[in-house]
Amino acid sequence: MRHLNPEGWPRPKGYSNGILAEGRMVFVAGMIGWDTEGHFKDNIVDQFAQTLRNTVAVLETGGATASDIVRMTWYVKDLDAYRENLSGIGVAYRSIVGKHFPVMAVVGVNDLVEPDALIEIETTAVITVSS
């Protein structure tokens, strides 16, 4: 996996502009922050952390790890709450995913299918295939 940053561009903080990867792909559907019993915490940081744990669980089922993630799209119901909690979101991200920063987009949305969900994340990972 190689991170792509055009010459002269500032290095992005917390994400990559692009990634070149080759291998087996794992696609993770939109994960939300409910636990195994379908319960949600009532704040974005806790739901974000649970969403990442759910994502990693699916990745591991497919033989991937968090360090194999190449792309994430985050759908957030309340962008103000997201912005106000960036520090806590960053701490949760690094504790679950580590210092691995794939290509990312954060999109504000009016609603999600599950009414209590505050965030939904789609993920793509690429597992490097050894020759």
Side-chain angles (χ1 to χ4, degrees), residues 3-111:
H3 294 267
L4 307 173
N5 197 51
E7 188 173 327
W9 284 25
R11 183 175 176 187
K13 184 177 181 180
Y15 67 96
S16 293
N17 285 315
I19 292 178
L20 177 64
E22 188 174 330
R24 292 186 343 210
M25 299 178 77
V26 179
F27 300 92
V28 181
M31 293 287 107
I32 54 178
W34 56 15
D35 62 21
T36 56
E37 296 178 5
H39 300 121
F40 291 94
K41 300 288 186 181
D42 63 356
N43 68 77
I44 193 165
V45 174
D46 288 341
Q47 281 199 26
F48 174 74
Q50 186 62 51
T51 300
L52 289 181
R53 286 190 290 273
N54 295 345
T55 298
V56 169
V58 173
L59 288 172
E60 290 174 349
T61 301
T65 67
S67 63
D68 295 316
I69 296 171
V70 295
R71 182 200 61 82
M72 300 178 95
T73 303
W74 304 3
Y75 302 95
V76 179
K77 280 172 62 170
D78 185 344
L79 285 173
D80 288 334
Y82 169 79
R83 290 181 191 110
E84 292 165 6
N85 289 283
L86 282 175
S87 178
I89 287 169
V91 168
Y93 182 91
R94 288 184 303 278
S95 73
I96 297 164
V97 176
K99 291 188 176 186
H100 173 70
F101 303 105
V103 173
M104 294 186 203
V106 176
V107 181
V109 296
N110 290 329
D111 210 354

